[in-house]
């Protein structure tokens, strides 16, 4: 006889078994959830009315979730920028800037990966673009093959952590936290991770200089101002787009969905100005729009919003609309926009179906007291808070061998988030607990793209690498970078300030001691006049 206490572990085991068979995750979640739901009804654990919560959550929390609208916008932005030529220009200029330094090509790949991560948010595009451009050059100048494959794969996974990462949006939604706070929390680990990658390249240059040689000076085709100009032409537009997307969100001027919409339009503009058929007159129109936006911003800062403010931004909107129309008239850009729509539709549909399936599973799992079972299991671990964090991170690390980050976020996170809030609140406070936990898991889940046997970044690299690159070099090359990412996880665990340092400090107010004093006002005596007879 199956008891109520046996249902949660049976559900979890059934889910693992079904996914190992290879059935699509979204339909596996729904099938396991509904199967155990009907079994629970048959055994009398709850009645059929309980399952009405599933359509209620699907239509009330999934399909009407405004935060998830940001996902297609950021996906479209990444799909446009990955093919517009921006990566090629930045890698070429950065490679020539750092090339004469030992390990310079590695530094350029890491820096460009960080910048592209802040404006694209897609791992596949980043790995493929940088491998096609940088791998032949690094091979030509004698870089170690395992370093080449490792740095290219690892620099592509940076986009998982750098805002505006789709992972952070999903984590914010599942944890019930602000996307802006999640982005603020992720900046510290992002920068530290870049420093770890660069530090590994520097140490490798000292220990084994033949693995990361300098590029000969005669190989540089640009020097002086021409080189700096090309670097700035890639960095400045990217910085503007980063501010439009992230700056407006963190300053409270735009919601994640609004920032994503601006980023999608900005990506089309950025792709247009990088295209060879984009005319000089159109560039002048764009410059006029940028100047008008600057004037409008200054007016808004110094004065109240008035007619000049409205006219300035009207000019900016007209300029942006004109650039988008001109982009649609260029055949290459029109095809690029079409491909962006197709990629966005595929990813958005995948996320939606996984969310619906995870809703079916989680409703039934909670209905058979799965939350109580999981809380008892995790809170009884030895080591207290640190034992909980070490166990969860090891658990997520091994799950990432087989599951994508979307699947981990939608299946596992809703179950452990309430427990994490309770366990971690005494360490960093109730407001920052889930932000710290979410960023920690985001750093951890980066490894899902790197470690064998299902590291997608390694598959992407294998697909575009020349035949002389061995698969063993790709897999062994990823090992040191996985170690660096796990070191980053440990740093986030040991030093929560890396995440919480940029967050707003909570106000410690004792409500029992709050006093509102109303000053006493003495009123003059009321003169009613002589008494009436």
């Amino acid at each position: 006889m199956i008891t109520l206490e046996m249902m949660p572990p049976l559900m979890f085991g059934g889910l693992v078994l079904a996914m190992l068979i290879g059935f699509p995750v979204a339909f596996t979640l729904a099938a396991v959830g509904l199967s155990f739901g009907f079994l629970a009804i048959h055994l009398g654990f709850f009645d059929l009315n309980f399952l009405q919560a599933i359509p209620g959550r699907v239509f009330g929390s999934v399909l009407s979730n405004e935060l998830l609208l940001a996902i297609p916008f950021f996906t479209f932005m990444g799909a446009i920028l990955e093919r517009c030529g921006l990566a090629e220009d930045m890698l070429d200029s950065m490679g020539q800037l750092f090339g004469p330094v030992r390990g310079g090509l590695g530094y350029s790949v890491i820096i460009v990966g960080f910048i592209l991560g802040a404006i694209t948010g897609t791992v596949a595009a980043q790995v493929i673009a940088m491998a096609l451009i940088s791998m032949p050059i690094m091979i030509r100048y004698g870089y170690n093959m395992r370093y080449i494959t490792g740095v290219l794969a690892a620099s592509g996974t940076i986009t998982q952590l750098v805002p505006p990462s789709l992972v952070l949006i999903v984590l914010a939604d599942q944890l019930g936290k602000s996307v802006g706070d999640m982005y603020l929390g992720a900046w510290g680990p992002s920068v530290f991770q870049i420093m770890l990658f660069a530090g590994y390249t520097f140490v490798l240059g000292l220990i084994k200089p033949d693995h990361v040689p300098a590029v000969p000076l005669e190989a540089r085709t640009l020097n002086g101002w021409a080189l700096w100009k090309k670097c700035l032409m890639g960095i400045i537009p990217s910085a503007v787009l980063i501010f439009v997307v992230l700056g407006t969100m963190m300053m409270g001027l735009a919601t994640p969905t609004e920032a994503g919409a601006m980023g999608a339009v900005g990506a089309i503009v950025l792709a247009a100005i990088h295209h060879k058929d984009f005319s000089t007159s159109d560039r002048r129109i764009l410059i006029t729009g940028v100047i008008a936006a600057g004037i409008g911003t200054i007016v808004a800062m110094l004065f109240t919003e008035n007619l000049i403010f409205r006219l300035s931004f009207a000019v900016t909107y007209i300029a942006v609309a004109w650039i988008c129309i001109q982009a649609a008239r260029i055949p290459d850009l029109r095809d690029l926009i079409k491909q962006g729509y197709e990629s966005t539709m595929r990813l958005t549909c995948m996320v939606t179906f996984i969310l619906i399936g995870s809703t079916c599973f989680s409703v039934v799992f909670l209905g058979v007291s799965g939350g109580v079972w999981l809380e008892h299991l995790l809170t009884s671990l030895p080591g207290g808070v640190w034992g909980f964090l070490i166990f969860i991170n090891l658990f997520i690390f091994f799950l990432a061998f087989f599951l994508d980050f979307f699947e981990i976020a939608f299946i596992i996170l809703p179950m452990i988030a309430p427990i994490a809030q309770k366990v971690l609140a005494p360490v960093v406070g109730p407001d920052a607990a889930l932000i710290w936990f979410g960023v920690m898991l985001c750093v951890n889940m980066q490894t899902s793209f790197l470690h064998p046997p299902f590291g997608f970044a390694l598959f992407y690299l294998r697909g575009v690498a020349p035949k002389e690159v061995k698969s063993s070099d790709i897999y062994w090359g990823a090992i040191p970078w996985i170690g660096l990412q796990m070191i980053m996880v440990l740093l986030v665990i040991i030093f929560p300030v890396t995440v919480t340092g940029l967050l707003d400090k909570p106000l410690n107010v004792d409500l029992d001691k709050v006093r509102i004093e109303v000053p006493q006002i003495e009123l003059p005596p009321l003169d009613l006049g002589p008494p009436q007879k």
Side-chain angles (χ1 to χ4, degrees), residues 284-462:
R284 290 173 182 166
I285 292 174
L286 179 61
I287 292 171
T288 303
V290 172
I291 294 173
I295 293 172
T297 303
I298 293 171
V299 169
M301 291 172 62
L302 299 179
F303 311 100
T304 58
E305 297 181 7
N306 52 25
L307 183 61
I308 298 177
F309 171 83
R310 296 191 180 97
L311 289 176
S312 299
F313 275 96
V315 172
T316 302
Y317 296 150
I318 292 170
V320 170
W322 176 259
I323 300 303
C324 293
I325 292 171
Q326 292 302 104
R329 294 178 59 185
I330 299 174
D332 291 345
L333 291 178
R334 188 165 60 247
D335 293 339
L336 179 63
I337 294 171
K338 179 183 175 184
Q339 292 171 12
Y341 284 141
E342 292 172 351
S343 300
T344 302
M345 179 184 66
R346 282 193 294 269
L347 181 64
T348 306
C349 289
M350 181 194 75
V351 170
T352 302
F353 275 104
I354 291 177
L355 267 173
I356 292 173
S358 66
T359 300
C360 296
F361 181 86
S362 62
V363 166
V364 176
F365 187 75
L366 294 175
V368 294
S369 302
V372 177
W373 170 76
L374 200 60
E375 181 177 352
H376 176 73
L377 178 69
L378 295 178
T379 53
S380 60
L381 292 170
V385 174
W386 311 113
F388 168 79
L389 289 177
I390 292 171
F391 174 81
I392 288 296
N393 278 282
L394 288 175
F395 179 60
I396 295 296
F397 177 77
F398 285 109
L399 275 184
F401 276 83
F402 311 103
L403 298 180
D404 185 54
F405 72 88
F406 278 123
E407 297 156 2
I408 294 174
F410 293 144
I411 300 170
I412 305 300
L413 206 56
M415 301 185 207
I416 60 177
I419 307 168
Q421 173 71 31
K422 184 182 298 184
V423 172
L424 302 181
V427 181
V428 293
D431 295 331
L434 289 182
I435 299 293
W436 179 35
F437 186 64
V439 173
M440 185 192 309
L441 294 189
C442 185
V443 178
N444 194 334
M445 284 192 287
Q446 285 183 107
T447 60
S448 68
F449 283 88
L450 278 184
H451 51 48
F454 301 117
F456 288 105
L458 307 182
F459 291 160
Y460 302 145
L461 202 58
R462 176 69 278 174

Side-chain angles (χ1 to χ4, degrees), residues 81 84-91 116 119 233-234 238 270 274:
L81 293 174
C84 72
L86 180 66
E88 289 87 340
D89 291 345
M90 292 181 69
L91 281 170
L116 290 178
I119 59 176
M233 287 298 291
S238 303
L270 207 58
H274 270 82

Side-chain angles (χ1 to χ4, degrees), residues 518-526:
V518 179
Q520 298 293 328
I521 301 175
E522 294 185 4
L523 297 175
L526 187 61

Side-chain angles (χ1 to χ4, degrees), residues 112-233:
V112 172
F114 178 76
I115 296 173
L116 290 178
I119 59 176
T120 61
T122 52
V123 174
Q126 213 159 305
V127 173
I128 292 171
M130 292 195 296
L132 288 172
I133 301 160
S134 296
M135 184 175 280
I137 300 173
M138 298 176 84
I139 293 174
R140 184 191 314 156
Y141 292 116
Y143 273 64
N144 178 266
M145 187 60 71
R146 291 184 179 179
Y147 175 81
I148 295 172
T149 57
V151 73
L152 287 172
S155 61
T157 64
I158 293 173
T159 189
Q160 293 292 93
L161 182 61
V162 180
S165 164
L166 291 179
V167 181
L168 294 173
I169 295 175
V170 171
L171 289 173
D173 175 68
Q174 294 299 301
L175 295 172
K177 306 302 289 185
S178 161
V179 176
D181 286 344
M182 195 68 75
Y183 282 172
L184 284 173
W187 273 117
S190 301
V191 174
F192 279 114
Q193 183 162 283
I194 296 301
M195 293 170 64
L196 275 178
F197 287 177
Y200 172 73
T201 302
F202 177 77
V203 171
L204 193 63
L206 296 178
I207 299 173
K208 296 182 178 180
D210 56 312
H211 282 202
V212 285
V215 176
L217 287 174
E218 58 270 15
R220 296 174 63 181
T221 58
L222 292 174
N223 291 286
W225 170 243
L227 175 58
W228 283 102
K229 180 181 177 181
K230 188 168 184 179
C231 290
L232 293 174
M233 287 298 291

